Amino acid sequence: MNKEGQEREYAENFYRINRIGDKFLASTDSGDWTILTKTQLAELRSGNLSDNTYKIAKETGLIITEENLPNILANTRKRLQPLYRSTGLHIIVTTLRCNHKCLYCHSHPKTTQDEDYDLKHETAERIIDFIFQCPSNNLTIEFQGGESLLNVASFKDVVNMCKEKNKEKKRNLTFVLVTNLSLMNEETAQWLKDEKIVICTSVDGPEILHNKNRPTESSINSHQKTIEWMKKLKIDYGIDVGALMVTTKSSLPHWKEIIDEYRNIGLNTIQLKPLNKLGFAENKWKEVGYEFEEFEEFWKKSMDYILELNKKNIIFKERYVEIILKKLFMDSDPGFTDFASPCGLITGQLTYDYNGDIFSCDEGRNFDLFKLGNVNNTKYIDVIRSKESQQLVNASTIENYICDMCAYKPFCGTCVVNNYAREGNIIPNIPSNFHHKLFKMMFDWVFNVLINRPEDAKLLSRWCN
Amino acid sequence: MMTDENIIIKINPKIYSLDVIKAAAHILTTEAEIHLNGDPESEIEVTISPKNKEDNKELREKFNEQLLNYSVYKSHSEKTKDIRNAIIQRVLLTNDSEFIDAVIEELRAQDKK
């Protein structure tokens, strides 16, 4: 009843509550959310709503009325839209050869001489046929290795074949090259520019740290080569090269230097990515790995420093936080696969090994469990409809009671491959799960800033633009 | 009851059902070993053995908080189950605009017949 004594007609929606200090975050399945005071929450629980709480609850879908139902349906529809997608990201391994021996590599790289592990023309043809069976209008084809530039011929071959095929198929094609840049030359750089290929590389931090994490076969200075080519590609070819970092045990004390390194090379975003317990990292975990709490300390110190920079009017962002903010404040989802339920495996991305084996995702290459066939004898529709795929996609959701109680659920996700690597099971044990702890820590941090640190919240609001 | 080693909590299952107790216990499994005993009809005894002995008081509070959290979640989700399902069903049935157009076309064609 309102203060004029009129009966209000509404139904209570399902919502989740997380306590953050003395406030309460409430969210619904539609991804709408609000911050409530203790009094407002008590009103909501009891059904005895003041006019103000009624207004908030109606606006944010905590209660359902005839007026707000279309909005609730539209927002839920938007959230579930990825369920209707077909695979957009296709990762092709053009070679398993690599001139680096990164401490955390999960690709099982071979030596630079081992040409048996190169993608052959016939296999490439079949991979491309397979990719174009996917009905998506937007196809991103990403080249990974090994080191893709050790097999430039194959990489160019794939691009040319895709373009030829696309004359008939008419899809929106994007090509991405993931490379350590150490084997770049002027001819390849010009070709990449001409073909409008997006380039992404790895920078783990300052020279000593980067080279420690990413030793090379022939003792070349990986850091020097990478930075030199990032600059050259920008200045001489107008190509902005994106970079990713991986946090190893050696990185933990160097949060400030890592961020400064990114700023020095002209980047304004860093993704503070924890180490996956995969490939070489699994074997050398004592040397490179760490406990969650150690990463938490590293991440929080980094975030404090990033906010300090922002206070000085230097816009520098952390990618996970940027994604969370976009999920909270923008209409469209940024489509980051780890922050999704189901995650992006199979329906968002597929990976093709040099021999045509099809895997659920890049990291999935580590386990036969995630192998879904081979392009020589499998069709896209077979992969999508297979029981194995459906089981993996099911396992990549966060449909369990612990997550269903959590107000972060509409914005969160998991990684099946990492869960399997760490726990030996594709169904995670949530209380001890690394991804669960990681994302909860990040959401806690973001909401704590939004609720309790208004000056810092203002700085973060600029990250959504 | 709290010993040096373990925390023992006795719960009336008419207040907190067995599935609520199990859920609250599951959330604490990283921090403690938990044993459930007793009679599901009259009294459940929860023994919490903290992995770090200094956490006794904190764990007891945490367990009690989780009991409340999960029982509120359970009653709230049962109460709103139908409306939640109805929303999801409606969204999933009408999410594919091409499908909806095809159904409308089909209905129109049937009308004409």
Side-chain angles (χ1 to χ4, degrees), chain A residues 201-349:
Chain A
T201 192
S202 295
V203 177
D204 274 5
E207 185 169 340
I208 294 173
L209 175 65
H210 178 103
N211 288 346
K212 187 177 179 188
N213 282 348
R214 302 176 61 80
T216 58
E217 198 180 76
S218 54
S219 301
I220 56 165
N221 185 328
S222 171
H223 181 269
Q224 199 179 62
K225 285 275 180 193
T226 305
I227 303 300
E228 186 184 298
W229 270 104
M230 281 182 86
K231 286 179 181 167
K232 199 169 172 54
L233 285 163
K234 171 130 182 118
I235 295 163
D236 296 352
Y237 299 90
I239 301 173
D240 284 314
V241 179
L244 284 172
M245 60 80 72
V246 174
T247 311
T248 61
K249 188 183 265 185
S250 309
S251 316
L252 296 174
H254 300 293
W255 43 273
K256 186 174 180 293
E257 292 92 328
I258 294 168
I259 293 164
D260 286 341
E261 179 70 16
Y262 268 63
R263 288 185 55 222
N264 289 340
I265 53 179
L267 296 170
N268 64 4
T269 303
I270 189 167
Q271 184 174 348
L272 298 165
K273 200 171 177 293
L275 187 65
N276 290 333
K277 203 172 184 178
L278 292 169
F280 290 165
E282 189 192 3
N283 302 333
K284 295 181 180 174
W285 192 250
K286 279 191 176 163
E287 188 188 330
V288 296
Y290 39 79
E291 295 298 319
F292 169 76
E293 290 70 20
E294 293 172 270
F295 181 77
E296 181 180 16
E297 191 186 347
F298 163 84
W299 191 84
K300 285 182 174 171
K301 280 180 179 167
S302 303
M303 288 312 302
D304 285 344
Y305 181 54
I306 288 172
L307 282 180
E308 259 180 54
L309 294 173
N310 279 266
K311 275 177 198 157
K312 292 176 192 160
N313 243 349
I314 300 162
I315 302 264
F316 190 87
K317 307 174 192 176
E318 201 285 325
R319 180 107 174 93
Y320 285 118
V321 171
E322 186 186 13
I323 291 163
I324 291 173
L325 292 169
K326 284 185 172 169
K327 278 174 173 279
L328 296 176
F329 293 107
M330 295 183 81
D331 265 354
S332 57
D333 192 281
F336 188 73
T337 54
D338 279 10
F339 270 129
S341 170
C343 81
L345 94 169
I346 305 167
T347 57
Q349 65 167 291

Side-chain angles (χ1 to χ4, degrees), chain A residues 65-78:
Chain A
T65 68
E66 211 172 302
E67 280 172 84
N68 74 358
L69 180 60
N71 213 24
I72 291 170
L73 292 172
N75 289 346
T76 311
R77 217 167 261 141
K78 249 183 244 164

Side-chain angles (χ1 to χ4, degrees), chain A residues 12 29 77 84 401 404, chain B residues 26 73 79 84 92 94-95:
Chain A
E12 197 178 347
D29 284 334
R77 217 167 261 141
Y84 290 84
Y401 80 90
D404 203 42
Chain B
H26 181 211
Y73 161 77
K79 192 174 154 192
R84 197 178 179 191
L92 292 178
T94 57
N95 206 24

Side-chain angles (χ1 to χ4, degrees), chain A residues 354-387:
Chain A
Y354 74 97
N355 60 0
D357 282 347
I358 305 160
F359 287 91
S360 61
C361 55
D362 179 29
E363 290 84 355
R365 284 192 275 160
N366 281 273
F367 304 103
D368 281 347
L369 181 69
F370 297 93
K371 184 177 156 184
L372 304 167
N374 186 288
V375 289
N376 287 312
N377 50 29
T378 313
K379 289 191 161 46
Y380 177 73
I381 195 80
D382 300 331
V383 167
I384 288 294
R385 285 188 178 162
S386 76
K387 203 175 157 188

Side-chain angles (χ1 to χ4, degrees), chain A residues 125-170:
Chain A
E125 269 186 324
R126 292 200 176 95
I127 291 173
I128 293 163
D129 278 343
F130 184 94
I131 291 172
F132 276 92
Q133 287 166 29
C134 165
S136 179
N137 276 331
N138 301 308
L139 295 174
T140 297
I141 294 164
E142 181 173 302
F143 299 95
Q144 289 213 17
E147 169 49 41
S148 306
L149 293 185
L150 275 165
N151 191 9
V152 177
S154 173
F155 158 53
K156 287 183 176 177
D157 191 29
V158 172
V159 173
N160 292 334
M161 282 195 283
C162 283
K163 288 196 165 178
E164 191 56 37
K165 198 168 185 77
N166 204 38
K167 285 178 184 166
E168 177 206 336
K169 299 285 186 181
K170 302 197 185 316

